[in-house]
Amino acid sequence: VKAVILAAGEGKRIKPHIGNAPKPFTRLLGLTLIERAILTAREAGVTEFLVVVGYKKEVMIPYLRKLERRYRISIRVVVNNDWQLGNGSSALAAAPYIEKDEPFLLLMSDHTFDPDILRKLMAQGKQQKKACLLAVDSDWDEKINVAEATKVSTMGDRLVTIGKGLSSFNGLDTGAFFCLPVLFPALGASARDGDYTLTGGIRKLIEQGNMFFIPTEGLFWQDVDTKKDLRNARTILLSRITGKEGDGFISRHFNRRLSRRLSPYLAEWGIIPNLITAASFAICIVSGLLFTRRSYLYILLAGLLIQFASVLDGCDGEVAKLTFKSSPFGGWFDTVTDRYADIFIALGITYSAWAAASGVIPWLLGTMATLGFVMPSYAKKEFALRYKKPQPKGFIANLIKRDLRLFLLFAGSLVNRQFEVLIFTGAMSHLGVMGLFLSSRRE
Amino acid sequence: VKAVILAAGEGKRIKPHIGNAPKPFTRLLGLTLIERAILTAREAGVTEFLVVVGYKKEVMIPYLRKLERRYRISIRVVVNNDWQLGNGSSALAAAPYIEKDEPFLLLMSDHTFDPDILRKLMAQGKQQKKACLLAVDSDWDEKINVAEATKVSTMGDRLVTIGKGLSSFNGLDTGAFFCLPVLFPALGASARDGDYTLTGGIRKLIEQGNMFFIPTEGLFWQDVDTKKDLRNARTILLSRITGKEGDGFISRHFNRRLSRRLSPYLAEWGIIPNLITAASFAICIVSGLLFTRRSYLYILLAGLLIQFASVLDGCDGEVAKLTFKSSPFGGWFDTVTDRYADIFIALGITYSAWAAASGVIPWLLGTMATLGFVMPSYAKKEFALRYKKPQPKGFIANLIKRDLRLFLLFAGSLVNRQFEVLIFTGAMSHLGVMGLFLSSRRE
């Protein structure tokens, strides 16, 4: 499915806040609005993009080419020299590039969405072959600037009226459409009447009985027209970062609270998730080296670094979600470096215990504990591969996860008892493999 | 789909070789013929079994109840007291338990098959709604006893004639049918003519134009009537054990040659695959302990035991295939114990090197090598889970697999250089993770 994205307007209201750049360049959590619109559509399954530009096209076009290379996507740029007439003229400019009977998404570059809204539009549109579908929010959030929004009233599954100035209305236009090319003659008819807005074209479709809608059902959307809208969008996007399903106790109640405060800044600073992963890994290596020193201050610092690395370990996934940078490689890299990081920490602690006591016992216990940091996760992965489903929820099998393990080591280092904690968590981890053995047998 | 299995006959020809038990009790690679027929059908997707018994039903029925419990399947036992009339009367005895228009597999308890023959019969039968389909071998192996076989001649997709004494024929009846209940009136009509054989019923279906066939296309089948047939079936079943796709060089060219000779005996002795896995694990633990001794003889013995465990590690999967005992738990247990086994061996060797040289270096190197025995496999599993496909075929990523690692340790122990080999293979293994890192990034 193609997406037509309108990015031709001037954006007068937000202009004072973003300087000289065109409105689609407005940054929201590390991505420009146009970048976010494209990536949202890509996440919903769109593979081809048609972006209509007008205002400041000389900076828009090279930027779109840059996005094309960065995300390895295909963007056809359509220039609308009449953009000042209205956004309907920009939509009409895309007409020559849409095949007969080809359905397409129509999006505004300054609206940001939950990709599920687009998924729902496409699913509904393909299934019922409706001429034109608009996503309508009928239960809008108090933070939405209703005065500035385009309102609609609906009846059954159809739109009845649309306009900014409606006194009676039961929904807001979210700016996300799924249309058949029947839209274009409607826009043309409206233009001949002297109305070059998209709303004008929609009115013609309403007259023809061709304009339908789906409800957003609480899914997030935000038209970014003002600084306040931008802040609101940022707040909502951040609130949508939740933990992973497999998050342990410490992760849920402690690490995530910190990582969710840190991640927006990392996203805004443009730090990519794999770099965060690498930083977390590097901090663990430093921590492992610090543990080999005798002085309590070093041990304390090592412990603090471990806990910091554990928090950072949550940020990579969060930033990836915020900036549409999740990838199988990122997940693989994160998991494998986590294991190596744990190994370095455990070896550092073991070395220190051996240096203090010498003899075979510290090494033997320490090495078994180190392996305990790898084997439960290994056994779970093998389970997932063999049974083609996640590991069972058994208590013992899920007792020691990385968040708890690192937290215990951090706590242990506060009282200079990191080796004892290492042995304990290692033993519990091997017990976890036994638990997994029992639950695998039951399956 | 239900399977009707005929197990009512006396089996006079094989009787002198198997003593007093009924023919379906004849053992072939650790399973009785009836057990094998049931498990072959289960492998092909059958969930309900109808077994017709007659001769020695007083031993057959309790045995079938035992199989029901052992394999947690549902077997309906149908007694045909007229079994001596012919196998058509036994097939007819199943009629009351088949629904109107319900298709079913009809199998002989003394025939053994490739499950793919049954899969093909069901696929073809369901697709085309043919009244009755027989799997026909038109390119039979020289070892098949043609004189004793039921012959057929075919034309197009239909059977034209069937009988033991045909002088002109182009195929052999494999004894595997997929039928609609239209078979039963045909058997009844044949019985009224005084012919109580299944062949008689098939002749009636031929007359009605209701008898079709599919070719076996080289898939294995064997009617076990004589001692020679039994030997032939055993040879063919064994020849079908091939290595796994991921087998390394040593596995393919050395270990598999030995394990394939050993596995039939393990199957015949009734040793279950998980016990073989556990034995291989126990041998590795003993080997790890032996490595801690100074004397060369112990080291040599440890090395030999490692290589033996590596061969045994191939047998569990082979025995599972031969006896239909493959399971996700078996695969999980095998993989996880392999890792722990390697860890024990590596720790034993490391301890010995430390005892000889003392100091931190042997432990540090040894521990890193030990982890090298786990991490490549870990990283590959994570890859398979993230990318939903097996790891890439990169050279470095697949350099050191378990078969090679254990073989090198075995070879190293011959010249008392096991620690050097440990460090080397460990380092190469971590390099493998690096290789996987590079190929993951490329994906």
Side-chain angles (χ1 to χ4, degrees):
Chain A
V1 171
K2 275 182 199 155
V4 174
I5 303 179
L6 305 187
E10 191 176 350
K12 280 186 189 134
R13 274 163 302 167
I14 207 160
K15 226 176 163 184
H17 303 284
I18 57 163
N20 213 15
K23 185 178 173 188
F25 279 39
T26 310
R27 298 190 81 85
L28 172 54
L29 285 167
L31 301 179
T32 62
L33 288 179
I34 178 74
E35 199 174 8
R36 197 166 274 285
I38 289 171
L39 295 178
T40 302
R42 188 179 66 167
E43 176 124 328
V46 171
T47 51
E48 270 185 87
F49 301 88
L50 237 146
V51 180
V52 185
V53 299
Y55 175 69
K56 290 220 177 168
K57 64 172 193 278
E58 65 286 355
V59 293
M60 285 298 291
I61 295 171
Y63 179 67
L64 289 167
R65 292 286 160 253
K66 207 169 89 180
L67 292 183
E68 217 175 8
R69 284 190 302 275
R70 183 183 297 164
Y71 296 110
R72 290 187 202 145
I73 52 177
S74 139
I75 302 176
R76 183 188 285 272
V77 179
V78 179
V79 175
N80 174 27
N81 288 317
D82 301 328
W83 60 271
Q84 281 171 306
L85 289 174
N87 58 356
S89 77
S90 293
L92 200 48
Y97 308 101
I98 300 291
E99 307 282 320
K100 186 172 174 289
D101 297 330
E102 182 188 7
F104 59 97
L105 279 172
L106 176 64
L107 308 173
M108 312 298 127
S109 65
D110 54 359
H111 286 53
T112 177
F113 299 98
D114 189 320
D116 279 347
I117 291 187
L118 307 187
R119 286 198 189 96
K120 281 179 70 169
L121 274 173
M122 289 191 280
Q124 185 80 358
K126 277 180 189 165
Q127 189 192 323
Q128 304 194 351
K129 294 262 176 207
K130 295 281 166 73
C132 206
L133 263 180
L134 170 62
V136 166
D137 186 358
S138 53
D139 184 26
W140 54 89
D141 191 272
E142 54 182 12
K143 284 184 183 146
I144 295 269
N145 185 347
V146 177
E148 286 296 327
T150 302
K151 292 129 194 122
V152 299
S153 65
T154 62
M155 191 178 290
D157 60 349
R158 281 165 207 260
L159 239 58
V160 179
T161 48
I162 184 164
K164 262 200 176 175
L166 291 190
S167 55
S168 157
F169 59 93
N170 62 356
L172 303 181
D173 168 354
T174 64
F177 296 84
F178 185 75
C179 294
L180 286 172
V182 68
L183 171 70
F184 300 120
L187 287 168
S190 175
R192 279 192 294 280
D193 294 350
D195 181 351
Y196 291 89
T197 63
L198 186 54
T199 301
I202 302 300
R203 280 204 194 95
K204 293 287 175 192
L205 287 173
I206 292 176
E207 285 166 23
Q208 297 164 15
N210 268 338
M211 193 63 220
F212 301 84
F213 80 100
I214 58 159
T216 54
E217 289 172 341
L219 293 171
F220 156 72
W221 70 280
Q222 175 72 52
D223 176 4
V224 180
D225 279 335
T226 64
K227 192 80 186 167
K228 195 171 153 240
D229 292 342
L230 199 58
R231 269 201 306 273
N232 190 34
R234 186 178 186 274
T235 307
I236 297 176
L237 285 174
L238 288 179
S239 75
R240 295 172 67 234
I241 312 180
T242 48
K244 277 191 298 184
E245 216 194 304
D247 273 355
F249 182 84
I250 297 293
S251 213
R252 278 201 307 278
H253 297 283
F254 182 73
N255 293 358
R256 286 285 176 203
R257 280 164 203 244
L258 295 176
S259 64
R260 276 160 67 175
R261 275 155 202 261
L262 192 52
S263 290
Y265 297 101
L266 296 172
E268 279 157 7
W269 297 334
I271 297 177
I272 62 165
N274 289 339
L275 193 62
I276 301 172
T277 305
S280 174
F281 178 51
I283 290 168
C284 289
I285 292 184
V286 170
S287 169
L289 291 174
L290 286 175
F291 271 125
T292 62
R293 308 296 296 261
R294 286 274 177 98
S295 149
Y296 172 66
L297 268 180
Y298 284 115
I299 304 295
L300 188 66
L301 181 58
L304 287 167
L305 284 179
I306 285 184
Q307 189 50 43
F308 178 57
S310 184
V311 171
L312 259 194
D313 190 36
C315 289
D316 46 13
E318 290 171 7
V319 171
K321 264 188 229 166
L322 285 175
T323 59
F324 297 93
K325 287 200 174 66
S326 303
S327 73
F329 174 74
W332 181 90
F333 184 56
D334 185 22
T335 310
V336 173
T337 54
D338 278 359
R339 294 295 87 71
Y340 272 106
D342 291 2
I343 289 169
F344 271 98
I345 293 168
L347 285 185
I349 294 174
T350 303
Y351 173 83
S352 168
W354 170 83
S358 107
V360 69
I361 300 299
W363 271 118
L364 215 54
L365 290 177
T367 308
M368 286 313 290
T370 308
L371 289 159
F373 288 6
V374 177
M375 286 309 294
S377 173
Y378 181 92
K380 279 179 195 172
K381 279 179 211 318
E382 182 66 16
F383 185 93
L385 286 172
R386 296 275 175 189
Y387 289 83
K388 315 251 183 273
K389 64 177 180 183
Q391 71 274 11
K393 299 250 179 256
F395 175 72
I396 302 177
N398 291 293
L399 196 54
I400 302 273
K401 290 185 172 174
R402 187 171 196 244
D403 59 332
L404 181 58
R405 190 193 300 150
L406 295 188
F407 180 78
L408 290 176
L409 286 176
F410 155 67
S413 70
L414 294 183
V415 291
N416 212 343
R417 285 281 174 272
Q418 61 279 6
F419 187 65
E420 288 83 343
V421 170
L422 178 77
I423 303 306
F424 172 74
T425 50
M428 296 305 285
S429 298
H430 284 293
L431 209 67
V433 178
M434 276 303 297
L436 199 60
F437 170 83
L438 295 176
S439 39
S440 299
R441 254 177 69 124
R442 257 201 311 276
E443 286 287 316
Chain B
V1 172
K2 277 182 198 154
V4 174
I5 302 178
L6 305 188
E10 190 174 353
K12 281 186 188 135
R13 274 162 302 166
I14 208 161
K15 226 175 162 184
H17 303 285
I18 57 164
N20 213 17
K23 186 178 173 188
F25 279 38
T26 311
R27 296 191 82 84
L28 172 55
L29 285 166
L31 302 179
T32 62
L33 287 179
I34 178 74
E35 199 173 10
R36 198 165 274 284
I38 288 171
L39 295 178
T40 303
R42 188 180 66 166
E43 176 124 329
V46 172
T47 51
E48 270 186 86
F49 301 87
L50 237 148
V51 180
V52 184
V53 299
Y55 175 70
K56 292 220 176 169
K57 63 171 193 278
E58 66 287 356
V59 291
M60 285 298 290
I61 294 172
Y63 180 67
L64 289 168
R65 292 285 160 254
K66 207 170 88 179
L67 292 183
E68 218 174 7
R69 285 191 302 274
R70 182 183 298 163
Y71 296 110
R72 290 186 201 147
I73 51 177
S74 137
I75 302 176
R76 182 189 285 271
V77 179
V78 179
V79 175
N80 174 28
N81 288 318
D82 301 327
W83 61 271
Q84 280 170 305
L85 288 174
N87 58 356
S89 76
S90 294
L92 201 46
Y97 309 101
I98 301 292
E99 307 282 321
K100 185 172 173 294
D101 298 329
E102 182 188 9
F104 60 96
L105 278 173
L106 176 64
L107 308 173
M108 312 297 127
S109 64
D110 54 0
H111 285 52
T112 176
F113 299 98
D114 189 320
D116 279 346
I117 291 186
L118 307 186
R119 286 198 188 95
K120 282 178 69 168
L121 274 172
M122 289 191 281
Q124 186 80 359
K126 278 180 188 165
Q127 188 192 322
Q128 305 194 352
K129 294 262 175 207
K130 295 280 166 75
C132 205
L133 263 179
L134 169 63
V136 167
D137 186 357
S138 54
D139 183 27
W140 54 89
D141 190 273
E142 54 182 12
K143 285 183 182 147
I144 296 271
N145 186 348
V146 177
E148 286 295 328
T150 302
K151 291 127 197 127
V152 299
S153 64
T154 64
M155 192 178 289
D157 61 348
R158 282 163 204 260
L159 239 58
V160 179
T161 48
I162 184 164
K164 261 199 178 175
L166 291 190
S167 56
S168 158
F169 59 93
N170 62 356
L172 303 182
D173 169 355
T174 64
F177 296 84
F178 186 74
C179 293
L180 286 171
V182 66
L183 171 70
F184 300 120
L187 287 168
S190 176
R192 279 189 296 280
D193 295 351
D195 181 353
Y196 290 90
T197 64
L198 186 55
T199 301
I202 301 301
R203 279 204 197 96
K204 293 287 177 195
L205 286 172
I206 291 176
E207 285 167 23
Q208 298 164 14
N210 268 338
M211 193 62 220
F212 301 85
F213 80 99
I214 59 158
T216 54
E217 289 171 342
L219 292 170
F220 156 72
W221 70 280
Q222 174 74 54
D223 176 5
V224 180
D225 279 334
T226 64
K227 191 83 185 166
K228 197 172 152 240
D229 291 341
L230 199 59
R231 269 202 306 273
N232 190 34
R234 187 179 187 274
T235 307
I236 296 175
L237 285 174
L238 288 179
S239 75
R240 293 173 66 234
I241 314 179
T242 49
K244 277 191 296 185
E245 218 194 302
D247 273 355
F249 182 84
I250 297 293
S251 213
R252 278 200 307 279
H253 297 284
F254 182 73
N255 292 359
R256 286 286 175 202
R257 280 164 204 243
L258 295 174
S259 64
R260 277 159 67 174
R261 273 155 205 261
L262 192 53
S263 290
Y265 295 102
L266 295 172
E268 278 157 9
W269 296 334
I271 298 178
I272 63 166
N274 289 339
L275 192 63
I276 301 172
T277 305
S280 174
F281 178 51
I283 290 169
C284 288
I285 292 183
V286 170
S287 169
L289 292 173
L290 286 174
F291 270 126
T292 63
R293 310 297 297 260
R294 286 275 177 98
S295 149
Y296 173 66
L297 268 180
Y298 284 114
I299 304 294
L300 189 66
L301 181 58
L304 287 167
L305 284 179
I306 284 183
Q307 189 50 42
F308 177 58
S310 183
V311 170
L312 259 194
D313 190 36
C315 290
D316 46 14
E318 291 171 6
V319 172
K321 263 188 230 166
L322 285 175
T323 58
F324 296 93
K325 286 199 174 69
S326 303
S327 74
F329 174 74
W332 182 88
F333 183 56
D334 185 22
T335 310
V336 174
T337 53
D338 278 359
R339 294 295 87 72
Y340 273 105
D342 291 2
I343 289 169
F344 271 99
I345 293 168
L347 286 184
I349 294 175
T350 302
Y351 173 82
S352 167
W354 171 81
S358 107
V360 69
I361 300 299
W363 270 118
L364 214 54
L365 290 176
T367 308
M368 286 313 291
T370 308
L371 289 159
F373 287 6
V374 177
M375 285 309 295
S377 174
Y378 181 92
K380 278 179 196 173
K381 280 180 211 316
E382 183 65 17
F383 184 93
L385 286 172
R386 295 276 174 187
Y387 289 83
K388 315 253 183 267
K389 64 177 180 183
Q391 71 272 13
K393 300 251 178 249
F395 175 72
I396 301 176
N398 291 293
L399 197 54
I400 302 273
K401 291 186 168 170
R402 185 167 198 245
D403 59 331
L404 181 59
R405 189 192 300 149
L406 295 187
F407 180 78
L408 290 175
L409 286 175
F410 156 66
S413 69
L414 294 182
V415 291
N416 213 344
R417 285 282 174 275
Q418 61 280 4
F419 187 64
E420 288 82 344
V421 170
L422 178 77
I423 303 307
F424 171 75
T425 49
M428 296 304 285
S429 298
H430 285 294
L431 210 66
V433 178
M434 277 303 297
L436 199 60
F437 170 83
L438 295 175
S439 38
S440 299
R441 255 177 69 123
R442 257 202 311 276
E443 286 290 315

